[in-house]
Amino acid sequence: MDRIDGRPASSQAAPLSTASAERLDRLFQLYSSRVLAYAATRAKRPADADDIAGLAWVKACVTINRLQGPDSAALPWLMCITYRAAATYYAPKRADEQPQDWTDATASFSLPVAPPADESADVLALSGLSAQQARCVKLAAQGLSHSAIAARIGRSHGAVYSHIHRGARKLRSSLALAG
């Protein structure tokens, strides 16, 4: 990985001093399980928690010289690093790493386009229905079941059935007259 925190690796940090390496080792012994547990809460998939925790420890290694205070107070600092590591882990990568569409052009085809309906006739046909009948007929045309329509509009199943069938009868008669 050549970049951490959005900066090139060459401008990151000097090699760890012995004291910094020992401090990082102590922090790892104290807080590794907590960092992993927090990474698991930030991960979209359970398998990503190890990677996020690892990235957090790499970032901690780079910035260990900025940590002031005792090791017993380092947990909030590590949690912040883990939070940012999760954001970095799921951030979009370079353009050449973006998802691509690999569908086969010959295997995929477009659906045939239905000819547009005469909207003026539809509006006139629907104007002959009551508001409840028009609403139920439109929802039924979208593929909803009578039970789903009843739940959506707050009416009984029988009322929905009645609205749909009376509305359909009115539509058939008005379209037969118009056609």
Side-chain angles (χ1 to χ4, degrees), residues 19-79:
S20 295
E22 289 174 359
R23 186 171 192 197
L24 188 65
D25 186 48
R26 282 192 311 271
L27 291 176
F28 185 80
Q29 289 175 3
L30 283 171
Y31 299 117
S32 62
S33 61
R34 288 182 171 177
V35 167
L36 181 60
Y38 184 64
T41 65
R42 303 303 308 163
K44 293 180 181 176
R45 294 177 300 272
D48 294 343
D50 290 329
D51 293 336
I52 292 170
L55 183 58
W57 284 110
V58 169
K59 289 182 178 192
C61 179
V62 170
T63 59
I64 189 74
N65 295 330
R66 294 187 212 160
L67 177 61
Q68 297 176 355
D71 292 348
S72 60
L75 185 60
W77 176 73
L78 287 168
M79 294 299 116

Side-chain angles (χ1 to χ4, degrees), residues 85-107:
T88 302
Y89 187 79
Y90 291 114
K93 307 298 185 246
R94 296 185 311 250
D96 59 339
E97 295 178 4
Q98 292 296 322
Q100 297 178 1
D101 184 14
W102 294 99
T103 53
D104 185 9
T106 58

